Amino acid sequence: MAETTADEVPQLQERPKRIDARRNKQSLLDAAAAVFTKSGVDAPVREIAAKAGVGMGTIYRHFPTRSDLVVAVYRHQVEACAEAGPRLLRESDTPEAALRAWVALFVNFLVTKHGLASALHGDNAGSDALHAYFVDRLVPACEALLHAALAQSQNSSTINAYSVLKGIGNLCVGAATDPNYDADRLVQNLISGVLLQTSP
Amino acid sequence: MAETTADEVPQLQERPKRIDARRNKQSLLDAAAAVFTKSGVDAPVREIAAKAGVGMGTIYRHFPTRSDLVVAVYRHQVEACAEAGPRLLRESDTPEAALRAWVALFVNFLVTKHGLASALHGDNAGSDALHAYFVDRLVPACEALLHAALAQSQNSSTINAYSVLKGIGNLCVGAATDPNYDADRLVQNLISGVLLQTSP
DNA sequence: TGTTTTCCGGAACGCTGTTCCGTATAGTTC
DNA sequence: GAACTATACGGAACAGCGTTCCGGAAAACA
């Protein structure tokens, strides 16, 4: 639940944060995690601050933007997803199976976190921390899997891993709240189509 | 540009709207169309009212919700898209070609209207006029094309046309503002995957 | 304990979509 | 043309959002 200890432990030439600051940051992370799972990622910042027993100023000092808080809350799961890529590639029967398993993992992650997929769009002039973090960590993982799967089927087409990843994320939008919408199936269909495509 | 004349012409037992009311409604539709293409579908309501030279009350009397205004502005193009379905099915070489052409049409429509795809998510407890209208008009068209294409390839799998249509719409989110994201290609890949899938 | 540095709380700001109501005006009747 | 009524208008006001600001509290240090 805690963030990397990078900013909680004294760096060279830096004093440690005050203990109430560290305590509040942790309360905020816990409260945010709870509120996000209950009311979705779009829950008001005030609600999180209230649940953590903290003022508005405090939340914005620790997390300069709403997006940063979301990143901090889901950092571990995103990291786990990124690290699952190479592992699946090693342990699966075929590269395509590895890709499909990884994608299912990613989809499950997005769908169970209500509103995360919608929040992923880099609305704010491309400087959206959430979007940037997902891209940074997951595009390389996705790319490796895609290349391996394409090589397996001797498909020499060029793929844009970023594009595919964003497509998967987009397909997950609204999946949790719409019982008639089957994101899982569509994503697997999309993968089929991507692997099938001929080089341009 | 004008709406259907349904509510501008006197119905039985109904008096015609006042002429300033009709004039303002038209001004609003024109202003909204202009603002939407300039600033995207998410443009503030105040901006549209200002451009039309009209107050806040007026805009909400004619269009009870932001969503209704968007529907009114794009009604003709959605209608055209719906009607293109049967026509393409008649004039194309194969049902699959018709489906792909229709999907390309739909994608082009969504992508050129900045923000329309994002606005399509039924946020407001399912009572979103925009979402409902799109579903009403386009799901049947999409369904006919899908069935025809599946029959062609002797694929007996069941498809959920609503799911596929929503998936296509989702894939278009952010397509206009992200040069690295190729929605067109992904959508065609998705169609490939959907047509390829085996019955469950 | 006294001083300094850091951090906190919550009111306030600017931006949304939407509602409300006193006022203006088109349509109707004389 | 004047008087009257139903209809529509304008824009201030409301609620809710993310974010900023700053006087005051509290931790760390001497």
Side-chain angles (χ1 to χ4, degrees):
Chain A
M1 213 51 110
E3 256 200 299
T4 47
T5 53
D7 53 3
E8 302 183 17
V9 137
Q11 302 291 76
L12 288 180
Q13 314 277 37
E14 284 180 14
R15 299 168 56 183
K17 296 283 176 189
R18 257 169 55 173
I19 89 159
D20 56 345
R22 276 181 297 193
R23 177 163 33 83
N24 279 332
K25 183 168 189 173
Q26 191 54 49
S27 301
L28 244 9
L29 283 171
D30 295 346
V35 170
F36 285 167
T37 55
K38 187 173 69 69
S39 314
V41 180
D42 297 323
V45 182
R46 281 167 176 80
E47 193 176 331
I48 297 164
K51 177 134 196 161
V54 141
M56 282 291 131
T58 302
I59 200 170
Y60 275 93
R61 198 169 318 101
H62 288 298
F63 307 100
T65 233
R66 227 187 147 287
S67 202
D68 294 297
L69 179 56
V70 178
V71 169
V73 167
Y74 292 123
R75 173 161 277 159
H76 283 84
Q77 303 195 45
V78 173
E79 222 61 34
C81 198
E83 287 162 9
R87 185 170 47 76
L88 284 170
L89 209 43
R90 257 184 283 112
E91 299 175 359
S92 299
D93 291 342
T94 67
E96 178 175 339
L99 173 62
R100 288 190 184 276
W102 185 80
V103 160
L105 217 65
F106 181 49
V107 169
N108 184 68
F109 170 54
L110 282 186
V111 168
T112 53
K113 274 62 190 177
H114 297 195
L116 224 200
S118 331
L120 230 41
H121 315 322
D123 314 67
N124 302 342
S127 67
D128 199 24
L130 188 56
H131 184 81
Y133 178 64
F134 266 74
V135 168
D136 256 34
R137 294 299 293 142
L138 298 183
V139 164
C142 182
E143 189 158 35
L145 287 158
L146 272 171
H147 278 146
L150 283 177
Q152 169 200 20
S153 54
Q154 299 187 321
N155 188 326
S156 65
S157 71
T158 58
I159 36 86
N160 182 349
Y162 167 75
S163 203
V164 173
L165 189 70
K166 179 163 178 168
I168 295 170
N170 274 352
L171 283 178
C172 293
V173 170
T177 55
D178 189 340
N180 296 321
Y181 180 65
D182 190 348
D184 253 302
R185 188 166 174 179
L186 287 176
V187 168
Q188 293 298 340
N189 285 342
L190 174 64
I191 297 297
S192 301
V194 167
L195 293 182
L196 196 73
Q197 80 184 338
T198 51
S199 34
Chain B
M1 211 51 110
E3 255 202 299
T4 48
T5 53
D7 54 3
E8 302 182 17
V9 137
Q11 304 290 78
L12 288 180
Q13 316 276 40
E14 284 181 14
R15 299 168 58 181
K17 298 282 177 191
R18 259 169 52 173
I19 98 158
D20 56 345
R22 276 181 296 195
R23 178 164 33 82
N24 279 332
K25 184 167 188 173
Q26 191 54 49
S27 300
L28 278 172
L29 283 171
D30 294 347
V35 170
F36 285 167
T37 55
K38 188 173 69 70
S39 314
V41 180
D42 296 322
V45 183
R46 281 166 176 77
E47 194 176 329
I48 298 164
K51 178 132 194 161
V54 140
M56 281 292 129
T58 301
I59 199 169
Y60 275 92
R61 198 167 320 100
H62 288 297
F63 307 99
T65 234
R66 226 188 147 288
S67 202
D68 294 297
L69 179 55
V70 178
V71 168
V73 168
Y74 292 123
R75 173 162 277 161
H76 283 82
Q77 302 195 45
V78 173
E79 222 60 34
C81 200
E83 287 163 9
R87 184 170 46 77
L88 285 170
L89 208 44
R90 259 183 281 114
E91 299 175 358
S92 300
D93 291 342
T94 68
E96 178 174 342
L99 172 63
R100 288 190 184 276
W102 185 80
V103 160
L105 216 65
F106 181 50
V107 169
N108 184 67
F109 169 55
L110 282 185
V111 168
T112 52
K113 273 62 187 178
H114 297 196
L116 224 200
S118 330
L120 230 40
H121 315 321
D123 313 69
N124 300 344
S127 66
D128 199 23
L130 187 57
H131 182 80
Y133 179 65
F134 267 74
V135 168
D136 256 33
R137 294 299 293 141
L138 298 184
V139 164
C142 183
E143 190 158 33
L145 286 158
L146 273 171
H147 278 147
L150 283 177
Q152 170 201 19
S153 55
Q154 299 188 323
N155 188 326
S156 65
S157 71
T158 58
I159 36 88
N160 182 349
Y162 167 75
S163 203
V164 173
L165 189 70
K166 178 162 178 169
I168 295 170
N170 275 352
L171 283 177
C172 292
V173 170
T177 55
D178 189 340
N180 295 322
Y181 179 66
D182 191 348
D184 253 302
R185 189 166 172 178
L186 288 176
V187 168
Q188 293 298 340
N189 284 342
L190 175 64
I191 296 298
S192 301
V194 167
L195 293 182
L196 197 72
Q197 81 185 338
T198 51
S199 34

